Amino acid sequence: MAKEIKKVVLAYSGGLDTSIIIPWLKENYNNCEVIAVSGDVGQGTELDGLEEKAIKTGASKLYIEDLKEEFIQDYVYPTVQAGAVYENRYLLGTSFARPIIAKRIAEIALKEGADAICHGCTGKGNDQVRFELAIKAFAPDMQIIAPWRIWDLKSREQEIEYAEAHNIPLKINRETNYSKDKNIWHLSHEGLDLEDPANEPQYNKPGFLELGVSPEAAPDKPTYVTIHFEKGKPTAIDGTEMNGVELVTKLNELGGANGIGLADLVENRLVGMKSRGVYETPGGAILYHAHEVLETITIDKETARVKQYLGIKFADIVYNGQWYTPLREAMSAFVTETQKTVTGDVRLKLYKGNIINAGVTSPYTLYDEEVATFDEDNVYDQADSAGFINLFGLPIKVRAKLEQKRNKG
């Protein structure tokens, strides 16, 4: 099998796993050509010096693909519009970043005439599924190499030893070796002391949080922000129109400074185990909250209810890597239809980890003060409610009367 593989396209981040995979591939697949591909979804400084590092460790070349705006517009915003949150807490930062990266990798592999695609996902994680399902959608006949499932290295400690033996420079050390994933939407932390759910995350420890501060360290003065939405997508902050990258970056700054968007949860992984992670999603937490507030005045009750329980399924689909499926596309079509009237402004107060409602308006509002008022009105006859209650409560009344009758007998 090894002789058949002459060219491999590697999903490359420059982190611990993919750094050692380049020499490992060449050692185990007859010095095959390795083409590295990095999908830029907002990793920031993690991409610095990546080309030099990839070439130095044995890659023939490196593609760095700027996917940030497409990521926000075509993956992040549709998920926010769906109200999809995994297990009530996780805002899917890693989950929806994988399909767009894998899609681009598959396209490059086909263009390069590669024999295989390689990724550095572990055999215990969700990402192996997300990457491979996306690859199957765009390069169904491509062979996939997943070193973590076949090599002799069994721990991150052994990976570090392998890297040191091959003179591969690393930005981590044994003491601060959290497993992290960063993009423009979020930062995740796993491993070390976090593996025990009994341990409190060290939010105030210098260097732990990267996108913001803890609620305790946030300012004593609140920050107000107004977000404008057009058909369910955010388009402006405080009256200034922005593209997706600019808007999410700005909200990350505002949210991070006020201790917003920290989530500590034990989640159910797709592969069957429970996993503890700490997530920083300051801008995302603000957007989800603002969008939900706007929907309260722009979407009718029955549509909102159906959308709410479909949101749970949508989150599962995203988490499970099933982005490129007929079901996700159909559900997105439903969500898009519901968003036609979700236009307006949401004002929020950010204060020490809290997102507090401070006003919402929409030209499509369904809220009518004249109907809702406790003062005298001319549109609602309160006497009508008596008949409604009699009909609505009829099953309860019938059941109670029959129970009484049976008990007497």
Side-chain angles (χ1 to χ4, degrees), residues 273-306:
M273 69 186 72
K274 290 185 180 290
S275 171
R276 198 273 187 95
V278 170
Y279 300 98
E280 299 180 58
T281 323
I286 295 170
L287 276 183
Y288 265 94
H289 187 107
H291 182 263
E292 184 177 343
V293 170
L294 184 56
E295 284 194 331
T296 64
I297 67 167
T298 56
I299 292 185
D300 67 277
K301 176 182 175 180
E302 294 305 317
T303 300
R305 290 293 185 273
V306 172

Side-chain angles (χ1 to χ4, degrees), residues 125-297:
N126 302 304
D127 279 345
Q128 58 181 333
V129 181
R130 296 165 183 155
F131 266 111
E132 294 185 30
L133 292 190
I135 292 167
K136 290 178 188 300
F138 294 96
D141 296 323
M142 186 69 64
Q143 184 169 334
I144 297 172
I145 301 173
W148 264 105
R149 300 203 292 253
I150 57 177
W151 64 13
D152 295 330
L153 304 175
K154 301 302 180 185
S155 68
R156 290 175 69 81
E157 181 73 21
Q158 291 180 6
E159 285 187 286
I160 293 173
E161 292 174 359
Y162 183 96
E164 291 173 346
H166 290 75
N167 297 314
I168 298 172
L170 299 174
K171 293 182 180 180
I172 62 172
N173 57 54
R174 288 174 171 79
E175 287 70 41
T176 61
N177 188 18
Y178 284 110
S179 176
K180 297 187 179 187
D181 177 73
K182 182 180 182 181
N183 59 45
I184 192 172
W185 185 249
H186 91 149
L187 174 66
S188 65
H189 309 256
E190 293 179 325
L192 297 183
D193 56 306
L194 297 177
E195 290 192 344
D196 185 350
N199 293 330
E200 178 183 1
Q202 301 302 302
Y203 292 135
N204 289 304
K205 184 179 180 180
F208 182 78
L209 295 179
E210 296 182 27
L211 300 185
V213 299
S214 68
E216 299 96 320
D220 293 330
K221 182 180 178 182
T223 299
Y224 284 88
V225 60
T226 299
I227 304 169
H228 179 74
F229 289 83
E230 288 286 337
K231 295 184 177 179
K233 287 192 175 186
T235 60
I237 295 177
D238 295 331
T240 302
E241 291 193 6
M242 299 180 180
N243 64 27
V245 171
E246 292 167 339
L247 191 140
V248 171
T249 300
K250 179 64 175 178
L251 289 181
N252 275 337
E253 292 171 359
L254 294 174
N258 286 279
I260 304 293
L262 299 178
D264 171 15
L265 69 152
V266 175
E267 69 196 56
N268 290 294
R269 282 184 175 174
L270 173 60
V271 294
M273 69 186 72
K274 290 185 180 290
S275 171
R276 198 273 187 95
V278 170
Y279 300 98
E280 299 180 58
T281 323
I286 295 170
L287 276 183
Y288 265 94
H289 187 107
H291 182 263
E292 184 177 343
V293 170
L294 184 56
E295 284 194 331
T296 64
I297 67 167

